Every structure is written in C-alpha cells, then in structure tokens.
Amino acid sequence: MTGTRILVLNGPNLGRLGSREPDVYGSQDLNALRALLTDLAGARAEIEVRQTDDEAELIHWLHEAVDHRTPVILNPAAFTHYSYALRDAAALVTKAGITLIEVHISNPHARETFRHTSVISGVASGVIAGFGFGSYGLAVEAVLASA
Ligand code: DQA
C-alpha cells in the first residue's frame, strides 16, 4: 500500500480548530490532526491535510483529486448543509471510482436542525461523524481498506 496518498480536506472555520468552540470541536488544532493521521497511517499512506475558507478552492482540490485519482477525506464544514457546487464536485470524485469519505468532528444530527441535512452525503462513499478527530482516523482506515 506504500505510494497511497490521501487528501484530507477541511472547509470553512476549521482553521480555527483549537480555539473554536472547544466544547464541540475539542482543543486540538489542525497541526495536531496532521500529526495524528500521519502517525496512524505510518508507512501505509502519505497524508496531506489542507484547510480553506474558500468554496472555489475546495472545489478545485476535488478536481485535483479526480485528475490524480487521489482518495479524499472531506470535512465540508458548513458547506455540508447547502453547497450544491461542492456536492457536484464530490460527485465527480466518486463517479470516477475514487473513494471520498465525508467526516464530521461533531455529530451534526445531534445539533441544530439546519445541520441535519447534508447535501454531500448522497454522493459520498461513506460518512463518519461524531467521534472527534477519531472520525478522520476511522476514515483513513476505511480509505486504506478500500484501496
Ligand atoms: C462540522 C459540522 C458542521 O455542521 C459545522 O458547520 C462545521 C464542522 C464538524 O466537523 O462537526 O464547521 O463539519
């Protein structure tokens, strides 16, 4: 499995992890997530963690995943709930036969009603939510199991 690359893409406000609503998202930041996933993957995969607040940039990263056939772990953050443009880009990935796993740190279904809808889930390979940074770890294992 050496040679596998996994893109871990994070949407808006996730660059503020560590200080953003720690009661909901914990007190660890994206660097800690990067270290955790790199350690978990070990020699099995190269992990690339990115974050943007920009919908267009996130869409371009999904296009890049299609072009390079790179599996994706995607936390679309608030875009989850309304971005049809991001959904269409995610569909490009999975329709090309590339794994894309939607992840959430919190369990959106246990929160406000507007978070109960995901426009991404219907085109994702699978969804993991509610396990803190563990959601990403489980997604790494799922990607590797499907690779
Ligand atoms: C989130 C849940 C979303 O509802 C929220 O907008 C986020 C983070 C999560 O990881 O729990 O920004 O995707």
Side-chain angles (χ1 to χ4, degrees), residues 12 14 20 25 75-78 80-81 103-106 108 111 115:
L14 292 172
R20 176 193 181 197
Y25 299 114
N75 185 341
T80 306
H81 312 302
V103 299
H104 300 282
I105 297 166
S106 67
R111 301 178 63 193
R115 297 186 202 277

Side-chain angles (χ1 to χ4, degrees), residues 1 9 13 18-20 23 28 36 38 44 54 56 58 73-74 82 90-91 94 102 139 145:
M1 204 123 333
L9 306 181
N13 301 305
S19 59
R20 176 193 181 197
D23 48 318
Q28 291 191 295
L36 181 95
T38 301
R44 297 182 295 163
D54 182 345
L58 203 46
I73 295 169
L74 174 64
Y82 67 90
T94 51
E102 176 186 342

Side-chain angles (χ1 to χ4, degrees), residues 47-67:
I47 302 286
E48 191 169 330
V49 177
R50 302 182 191 170
Q51 188 276 329
T52 182
D53 295 330
D54 182 345
E55 188 179 24
E57 188 166 33
L58 203 46
I59 289 167
H60 291 152
W61 288 345
L62 292 179
H63 294 172
E64 178 191 326
V66 173
D67 292 343

